[in-house]
Each structure stands twice: as structure tokens, then as C-alpha cells.
Amino acid sequence: MKAFIVYIGDLLLDQIALGKEPILVLPNKRPVAYLQKYMASKTQNALWFPKIYTIEDYVLHISKMQLAEPMYTAKCLFEIYTQTLQDQADSFDDFAKWWNLMISDFNDIDMYMVDSRQLFNYINEAKAIEQWNPGEKEPTKLQQHYLTFWKYLPVFYEKLNLTLSAKNLGYRGMIYRKAALHLQENNVEADAVLFAGFNALSTSEEKIIEYFLSSKKGAIYWETDDYYVADEKHEAGKFLRHYKSKWQHYANSIFFTNNSLLNDAKEINILGAPKSMMQGSLAGQIAKKILSQEHVNAALIPADESLLSPLLYQLPNLANKEINISMGYPILSLPLKGLYAIVFDFINHLEKDKQALFSTKFLHQLLSHPYASILFLKNNPKAAVSEIKIMQQKILATGKIHYSLNDLEGLNEHASSLNFYWLFELLIDHFSNQKLLPEIFIKINERLKNNVNDLDVFKELLLMQVNVFGDV
């Protein structure tokens, strides 16, 4: 039986042969490379590949809107929140603890096209009942503040939508809702829109797909296994069983089913290994044996994203093999994030303690960081390693808890002549001039440029945060 991705590839080739320009919409980008490779192998002639979108990209395309950066959304929400509640509003530090949760709730409301006014009225009344104490006096100031927040929740929601819409921006759920409500107005044109590989759909996704099915402009193809669908009690097949039996628009959709989970022969080995490094090493050894064979397809599935880095170091040299890494890597795991976190943490302590001193803990973290040699002496990292060792030894020998800038320069005068202490000097300058914060990270970026692989990824995020919150 042919694989689902082969089935979809043949379907697209048939559409192209008929002179049509189909659009394929997938849940994510992972199958795209394999799909294009298969289609290229099936034709000897030049071929215009059809447009392939993820569902999120396609919704952005048909809505003609852009996805707002999370930090910009947060800034807009904070401005709305403070303008609405004024003196009763939380500080930005407190706001930063919960804004992401509020946006997430707004996102769910819109993704599932819930009546926001009705929902917020219900929440407001429910919270009032929670605070209701029959026979007692008027609500306390804290209770009044609590109830005021819930009372104005619909105001935050509506004003945020208006603010973002004015710039043709939106958070994910907001864009999905608008796309679902205004499909006809947006005049979406396509010979055929094919949706493939989906499972559970949100209400807004259902409406969008229904539009193309009901207008005879599209089709949907599901992939599943009888093991999931045939068993009425199996949770994994819940949504597919619902679509197959209950939905009028999905009556003619194609279910690509097989029974491989129960019928195909399998060999299962369970091996134990402590810690992520050992797991990565063991997986690399097994992968080496499997991938040394010819014409073998293999998938290596780590338990979580943190295993990706040690795993890649353990994999054999596979110059003659094609590898597709189709998983994300958390930005929080980047070494560069650790460096910025150390500097941010020091700045926070500097502002709280009101003393221009470097703690031993901060010095140890900064000098021990993998990028320290490049950071302090960009043009001579080898010399920096030597100077760092001297400083670490002297810090350990003196046994002090805090050091002034003069104390540090006195520990290694030769390093001072090499402009080794530039970052420490800049951090102390920041103590008296708060506007230097963006400059600190810009200079760190300049030092690490062309020497750190993950710099471009993290620099964009960091500078965007600094620019957005620079005037908050």
C-alpha cells in the first residue's frame, strides 16, 4: 500500500497534468521536502511545484493580515490596560507575569469563535459570586480591585482587537476568526485547495475548510489507522470518527486508512541509559548501525527538544546520507541565551542594590561562559583564555564577595591594557544612565558577530524586545 505522502504527491501531479494550479495546505512544514522530492522523481519534464502552505500561513494569506510580534502585542495590551484602569493598574513587572496568559485566553476565544461578550459577562458574574459574602460589609479594597479587573476584561479584548486591526495585525486566533468570517469578502481564488493530514480542528479552521468544500473549491484528505478509528473508545480517533459520521461537508472527504499498527511485523527493543548525554550517545551508536545500510529510511525521535544538541554530536558522519531535522530547538537552550540572562540578572541586582559592585557569583558565571573568550578579547580569544584563568584564580584566592571595577582591574593589570574590562565598564556606566541598556546588548552582538552560530536567531529577538519595551 502506498504511503499517504505518495498518494498526495500523485494527486497533485494529476491536477497539474490537467492544467490546474492546486494549493496544498498541511498542518506543518515537515512533509514538504519529501513531497517535493517525490514529485520531482516522478516527472522527466520541468515542473512548477504547486503552492504548499501550512494552515497558519494559508490563513494569513487569505486574511491579508500579518501576525503581530508577541512583544508588540504585549506593549499594546499594557497601554490599553493602564489607560483603562489608570491608578488601579498593576506595575509593568506584575503585568509581565500574566499578560501572556491573557493573550492565550483571547487566542482560544477567537480560535473557537466563542461569543466573547456572553463569555466575559458570565466570567464577571462568576467572579462576583466568588467574592460575595452575605451579611458582611462592603467589599474590601482588594476585592474591589479584583472585580474591577474582571469587569474590564471585555474592554481589554475589544480595544486590543481594534488597535491591532488598525495596523492590519493580529494575534493568531484573531486572524483565524477574521479569516473564517470574511472569506467571501476576501475573494479567495484557487483552482483547488487540498487540505491533508489534519486531525483535531478548531472551530475557525472548520469554518475555513467548510467554505472550500461547500463551494466545490477544495477537498480534504485524512490519514489514519483502523486501530484508532474502529475502536469507539480510542481517544486518538475521536475527532476523525466525528468528522466521518456527523459532518455533512465531510461526507465526501477521503479517509486514507490502513491497518499497519496491528498487522505489520515489528521489532521492539528497550535499552536503558541514564541522563540525556548517555541517551544521545546510545541513540547515535544505534543510528550508525542502521544508517550504514543502503536504501534504509529511519526516523530518530527524541523524548524532548533538549536532547537534539547532544544527539547531533553523537551521530556519525553521514556525508552520503540526506538528513531532515524536522523539529524545533528551544531558544532557551541556546548558549547565547545564557549569556544574556547573566547580564540581565546582574542589571536587575544593580538596580535593586543601588551599588556599583560585581558579585563573585556573577563573575564566576560570566567568566565561565563558553563565549567569554570571544566576548572579552574578540581578536585574540586564546589570550583571553589565559587572562580569564588568571582572574578566576585571583578571585578564588582573595575570597571577597563583591568587587568594584577598580578591584577587578587590580586583579590583572595586563588584562586592563588589552581593554579586557570593557563590558564591566559599560555595565557600571549603565548604573548611572538607564538608557544604555540597548547599547550593552548591541555591543555584545558586535563582539560575537561572525563567531557565534546562534547569534542571528537570538539577536533579532533581543533587539525586538529592547525596542518594544524601551519606552514602557
Side-chain angles (χ1 to χ4, degrees):
M1 187 175 184
K2 66 170 68 173
F4 182 64
I5 197 168
V6 171
Y7 176 82
I8 296 299
D10 289 340
L11 194 67
L12 291 172
L13 289 170
D14 291 343
Q15 293 270 336
I16 294 170
L18 294 173
K20 296 183 178 181
E21 297 182 4
I23 292 174
L24 178 64
V25 182
L26 302 168
N28 53 59
K29 295 180 180 179
R30 292 176 183 175
V32 174
Y34 293 105
L35 186 61
Q36 291 177 336
K37 181 180 177 182
Y38 169 75
M39 292 176 65
S41 69
K42 297 296 289 184
T43 180
Q44 302 299 319
N45 302 319
L47 176 69
W48 285 104
F49 279 116
K51 293 179 180 177
I52 303 177
Y53 294 93
T54 64
I55 182 66
E56 183 170 316
D57 289 341
Y58 190 60
V59 171
L60 288 170
H61 171 69
I62 61 179
S63 69
K64 298 180 174 61
M65 296 179 69
Q66 292 182 308
L67 191 63
E69 292 286 355
M71 294 297 106
Y72 179 76
T73 305
K75 180 184 179 182
C76 293
L77 180 60
F78 183 68
E79 290 174 350
I80 293 166
Y81 169 70
T82 51
Q83 289 168 7
T84 303
L85 295 187
Q86 297 182 358
D87 294 342
Q88 296 184 59
D90 290 342
S91 66
F92 178 74
D93 287 343
D94 291 329
F95 169 83
K97 298 173 184 176
W98 53 259
W99 73 265
N100 200 31
L101 182 61
M102 179 180 283
I103 296 296
S104 176
D105 290 341
F106 289 173
N107 186 71
D108 289 341
I109 289 170
D110 288 333
M111 285 291 292
Y112 290 88
M113 302 185 75
V114 175
D115 185 330
S116 58
R117 286 185 174 274
Q118 185 177 349
L119 176 64
F120 289 134
N121 286 337
Y122 173 81
I123 293 174
N124 186 36
E125 291 171 1
K127 295 300 178 182
I129 292 172
E130 283 181 8
Q131 301 298 316
W132 181 47
N133 291 314
E136 292 195 3
K137 296 180 180 180
E138 293 292 320
T140 65
K141 202 168 185 179
L142 182 62
Q143 288 175 319
Q144 289 176 349
H145 177 70
Y146 178 77
L147 293 173
T148 299
F149 175 83
W150 293 106
K151 176 183 176 182
Y152 283 102
L153 202 57
V155 176
F156 304 149
Y157 171 81
E158 290 172 8
K159 286 190 174 181
L160 181 61
N161 270 258
L162 289 172
T163 301
L164 294 177
S165 294
K167 296 194 174 184
N168 201 37
L169 298 173
Y171 51 85
R172 185 167 176 261
M174 173 184 163
I175 294 174
Y176 273 61
R177 183 195 278 263
K178 287 183 178 294
L181 292 174
H182 303 290
L183 274 169
Q184 290 183 332
E185 297 173 21
N186 289 338
N187 193 25
V188 179
E189 294 184 1
D191 289 342
V193 182
L194 311 179
F195 298 87
F198 290 88
N199 181 17
L201 300 170
S202 68
T203 307
S204 56
E205 289 171 331
E206 291 173 5
K207 295 291 184 184
I208 291 168
I209 295 174
E210 280 180 11
Y211 168 80
F212 289 101
L213 298 183
S214 61
S215 60
K216 310 298 182 184
K217 292 182 178 180
I220 186 163
Y221 302 86
W222 314 88
E223 180 191 20
T224 186
D225 192 284
D226 286 340
Y227 177 75
Y228 298 125
V229 180
D231 185 356
E232 292 291 329
K233 295 182 179 179
H234 204 301
E235 293 182 357
K238 175 183 175 181
F239 292 97
L240 291 181
R241 288 193 298 272
H242 173 71
Y243 299 142
K244 191 173 184 179
S245 61
K246 304 291 184 183
W247 281 25
Q248 176 185 354
H249 292 294
Y250 291 82
N252 297 324
S253 59
I254 297 174
F255 282 79
F256 186 86
T257 59
N258 55 52
N259 202 15
S260 60
L261 281 175
L262 292 178
N263 294 343
D264 289 1
K266 303 170 187 65
E267 178 183 344
I268 300 174
N269 298 297
I270 300 176
L271 306 174
K275 308 277 185 174
S276 59
M277 292 298 293
M278 287 297 296
Q279 292 174 24
S281 177
L282 182 58
Q285 293 173 26
I286 297 171
K288 186 175 182 179
K289 292 180 182 178
I290 295 173
L291 296 174
S292 62
Q293 305 172 32
E294 291 294 328
H295 308 295
V296 64
N297 290 323
L300 184 54
I301 306 171
D304 61 71
E305 294 169 329
S306 65
L307 293 173
L308 180 60
S309 184
L311 186 58
L312 291 177
Y313 281 107
Q314 294 298 333
L315 285 175
N317 184 7
L318 302 169
N320 61 333
K321 298 285 185 179
E322 292 183 357
I323 299 178
N324 178 27
I325 301 174
S326 58
M327 63 182 290
Y329 188 70
I331 198 167
L332 296 180
S333 298
L334 295 174
L336 192 59
K337 178 266 173 186
L339 175 60
Y340 287 135
I342 292 168
V343 176
F344 263 125
D345 189 51
F346 170 75
I347 291 171
N348 286 333
H349 281 89
L350 197 66
E351 293 174 354
K352 288 178 182 177
D353 299 340
K354 305 299 181 184
Q355 290 183 307
L357 297 173
F358 301 98
S359 68
T360 304
K361 178 184 176 182
F362 165 72
L363 294 172
H364 171 73
Q365 290 176 331
L366 187 61
L367 295 173
S368 302
H369 194 274
Y371 296 158
S373 59
I374 302 172
L375 181 65
F376 290 111
L377 293 177
K378 175 182 177 181
N379 297 325
N380 196 349
K382 290 184 179 180
V385 172
S386 175
E387 304 299 339
I388 288 170
K389 283 184 179 180
I390 294 172
M391 284 195 65
Q392 288 175 323
Q393 291 170 357
K394 291 192 175 182
I395 288 171
L396 187 63
T398 58
K400 295 176 66 174
I401 299 176
H402 293 94
Y403 293 82
S404 67
L405 180 59
N406 289 335
D407 292 335
L408 286 180
E409 291 174 341
L411 291 175
N412 189 345
E413 293 182 0
H414 179 256
S416 182
S417 66
L418 299 174
N419 195 27
F420 182 89
Y421 297 103
W422 69 271
L423 179 57
F424 299 104
E425 294 168 355
L426 195 60
L427 289 171
I428 295 301
D429 287 343
H430 169 73
F431 183 62
S432 58
N433 183 358
Q434 300 295 315
K435 292 184 178 180
L436 277 176
L437 181 59
E439 183 183 339
I440 291 172
F441 293 101
I442 289 171
K443 289 201 172 183
I444 289 176
N445 292 337
E446 290 174 352
R447 286 274 177 156
L448 299 180
K449 188 177 181 181
N450 300 326
N451 290 284
V452 177
N453 292 331
D454 54 8
L455 177 62
D456 289 338
V457 176
F458 206 84
K459 181 175 69 173
E460 184 175 349
L461 173 68
L462 178 78
L463 292 182
M464 178 267 293
Q465 289 177 329
V466 170
N467 290 333
V468 167
F469 289 127
D471 58 343
V472 172

